[in-house]
Amino acid sequence: MVTPRNAFDQLVDRYYRDWWRLSPAAGSRAGLYEFDSELEIPGIDWIEQRRRQLAQAGAALRSIEVPPSGTLAALDRRTFESHLSVAELRFNQLQHWRQDPSGPVTESVDALFELVMRRDLAKEETAHAIISRLEKLPANLHAARDRIDDPIALWNAVAKQTVPGGIEFVRDAARELSARHPHRSARVESAAALACTALEEYGHWVHSLQER
């Protein structure tokens, strides 16, 4: 028999596994190496998947018996409820995903930065993961552009300042990676060139936006 506590634990585990599959960068951030070579494609379809995921998790949580007040189980439930509520507020009401052109640049570059800083660059699997994310960065940024239809001037200004730094970081990371893995240098340089071009194009697009 599945107890309410077991049902809750299973729900939380399933929720985060589904979230990490949808957002591999978040999986890497949680320390899960199996997500390191992946990068989400955060377009409109991705937004809808995230909304469904949150709605399903909320419905599943409501179906589980509420634990007695004052217990650790009650605190765990309240914490998870708060997480879902804040996430739903951001996606369904605030909708910054439609308004913030700086977010996609920051998130995609951070996904690379975290691998460079938190993994061992000397390892082949780290080199493979970074190259893979560099190669996926153009699709990531292109998808993000499709969802931004109500840009706000402040975040647009932040994006304009963020893009050059992202390009500089990609170039620096590629040089370091090539130096540590000379046999991979051709693919590193190719992937970095694609990523830099995508960032440059994103920067041009940001400058063309009609702000409010």
Side-chain angles (χ1 to χ4, degrees):
M1 178 179 178
V2 178
T3 66
R5 180 68 207 195
N6 287 341
F8 174 78
D9 289 345
Q10 290 170 12
L11 168 61
V12 172
D13 182 70
R14 185 169 62 250
Y15 167 82
Y16 279 106
R17 283 287 166 182
D18 288 345
W19 168 230
W20 294 329
R21 279 192 288 269
L22 186 61
S23 179
S28 290
R29 202 171 299 122
L32 302 173
Y33 286 67
E34 61 263 38
F35 295 105
D36 284 358
S37 63
E38 301 300 321
L39 187 64
E40 54 266 27
I41 306 299
I44 293 296
D45 289 344
W46 186 92
I47 294 293
E48 292 306 317
Q49 288 181 64
R50 179 61 171 151
R51 279 177 164 163
R52 286 195 299 272
Q53 184 186 74
L54 291 168
Q56 290 167 1
L61 182 62
R62 290 189 291 273
S63 73
I64 298 173
E65 181 182 337
V66 178
S69 178
T71 63
L72 285 176
L75 178 60
D76 287 344
R77 181 186 175 110
R78 179 60 61 86
T79 299
F80 188 56
E81 282 178 332
S82 297
H83 167 80
L84 294 179
S85 295
V86 170
E88 287 188 312
L89 175 67
R90 288 174 174 169
F91 269 81
N92 297 330
Q93 296 184 42
L94 298 180
Q95 295 190 354
H96 290 168
W97 53 268
R98 296 179 55 221
Q99 302 168 333
D100 182 6
S102 70
V105 180
T106 301
E107 291 161 9
S108 61
V109 174
D110 279 354
L112 295 167
F113 177 81
E114 287 162 0
L115 294 184
V116 171
M117 299 304 295
R118 298 177 65 182
R119 301 291 191 257
D120 185 352
L121 278 182
K123 291 185 175 181
E124 288 293 329
E125 55 265 35
T126 301
H128 169 75
I130 293 172
I131 293 168
S132 181
R133 282 196 175 173
L134 284 169
E135 292 172 340
K136 293 178 173 66
L137 190 143
N140 172 283
L141 291 178
H142 190 272
R145 285 167 54 172
D146 290 342
R147 77 187 198 207
I148 297 172
D149 58 5
D150 187 25
I152 290 177
L154 174 62
W155 288 331
N156 211 29
V158 172
K160 291 174 183 176
Q161 296 178 15
T162 303
V163 167
I167 293 171
E168 182 179 3
F169 170 75
V170 167
R171 289 173 176 160
D172 288 346
R175 279 194 294 270
E176 179 67 19
L177 199 61
S178 290
R180 289 174 179 260
H181 301 271
H183 62 291
R184 291 180 178 266
S185 61
R187 188 176 171 196
V188 171
E189 291 169 8
S190 175
L194 289 172
C196 287
T197 297
L199 284 164
E200 289 169 355
E201 290 176 350
Y202 191 90
H204 294 322
W205 171 77
V206 166
H207 280 81
S208 74
L209 290 175
Q210 297 297 314
E211 316 167 333
R212 71 171 175 86

